[in-house]
Amino acid sequence: LARSMAARGRPPLFAHLDPALDLVDLADAARWFPDLDAALEWAEDALLARHPTGDRPGEIALAHSCLATGLAADDLRHLAGRLRRCELPAGAVLFRQGEAGDTLYLLARGRITVRLETAPGRFPRLATFMPGVMIGEMALLEGQPRSAEAVAAEDAVLHALSRADLDRIRAEHPALAARLMENVAREIAARLRAANRQLLGSDR
């Protein structure tokens, strides 16, 4: 099967095969991965490589981020004044699992992979985020340690909003703070709904 598909230019991806199998002779006809997520991640990266986002070479504007949904121009200016710009090279860690967390990040350029350490040295991927989304909002809201690790899958630019700056917005512009919290809640709800669909195959 692998040789037949490779001959048509579509080499298959295999995951979770018995490592005792002798598959060396098929190395040029297929790709092998330790688990399904690793195979899916490779496929996603391959698709992005074939269809690069060359139409958006710059950074996503703050107004197009999920945190800024529905904000007026004045509110955008107030929010922008509280954000701190961060640049991460590919492979750099944004935050580690178990670290104290008090900052939300808006991804403006690049990709960030969130992964969970399930065993020493084993980090299955939870999600890979594209520009426009927020990352780390749970730690900001709860004041709890980071529940996962975030790593730059490629060179990335983010804008950070700390809890201290959010508190300043709440004190100076309470209506803006309320809208920001509404957008955070909406994003969390959307992710929970997506997780439900993935796990249960429904919209519940």
Side-chain angles (χ1 to χ4, degrees):
L1 174 64
R3 292 191 183 99
S4 174
M5 293 181 67
R8 298 197 299 271
R10 298 177 181 274
L13 312 182
F14 291 99
H16 291 294
L17 287 183
D18 186 341
L21 292 174
D22 182 8
L23 301 168
V24 176
D25 61 329
L26 291 179
D28 294 332
R31 295 182 182 274
W32 317 96
F33 300 90
D35 53 45
L36 178 60
D37 184 71
L40 289 172
E41 185 173 17
W42 183 93
E44 291 169 359
D45 289 342
L47 282 172
L48 288 171
R50 288 202 299 271
H51 304 283
T53 55
D55 57 325
R56 294 188 301 177
E59 300 175 16
I60 292 292
L62 175 61
H64 297 154
S65 70
C66 59
L67 184 63
T69 300
L71 297 187
D74 284 346
D75 288 337
L76 284 172
R77 283 193 292 272
H78 291 309
L79 176 59
R82 293 298 179 186
L83 296 177
R84 174 175 54 87
R85 179 185 172 90
C86 307
E87 296 187 13
L88 282 183
V93 175
L94 178 62
F95 53 76
R96 297 188 184 278
Q97 186 174 338
E99 284 183 347
D102 66 350
T103 302
L104 172 155
Y105 297 93
L106 298 174
L107 182 56
R109 187 174 68 196
R111 292 180 296 147
I112 297 291
T113 291
V114 176
R115 59 192 191 181
L116 183 68
E117 185 175 20
T118 56
R122 179 165 174 75
F123 293 87
R125 182 184 60 142
L126 299 179
T128 296
F129 292 109
M130 304 296 286
V133 304
M134 67 181 73
I135 303 166
E137 69 282 354
M138 296 300 293
L140 175 71
L141 295 177
E142 296 178 317
Q144 298 294 319
R146 300 288 188 186
S147 60
E149 178 176 278
V151 180
E154 60 189 30
D155 292 349
V157 174
L158 305 100
H159 299 286
L161 178 66
S162 69
R163 183 182 295 111
D165 281 319
L166 180 60
D167 288 342
R168 292 187 185 97
I169 293 175
R170 185 177 290 113
E172 298 169 2
H173 306 282
L176 170 58
R179 284 191 289 271
L180 294 178
M181 289 300 95
E182 181 180 349
N183 287 342
V184 170
R186 185 181 294 110
E187 181 68 10
I188 292 174
R191 291 179 186 177
L192 287 173
R193 188 174 294 279
N196 284 348
R197 286 196 296 266
Q198 183 177 3
L199 293 173
L200 305 175
S202 75
D203 285 330
R204 290 180 292 173

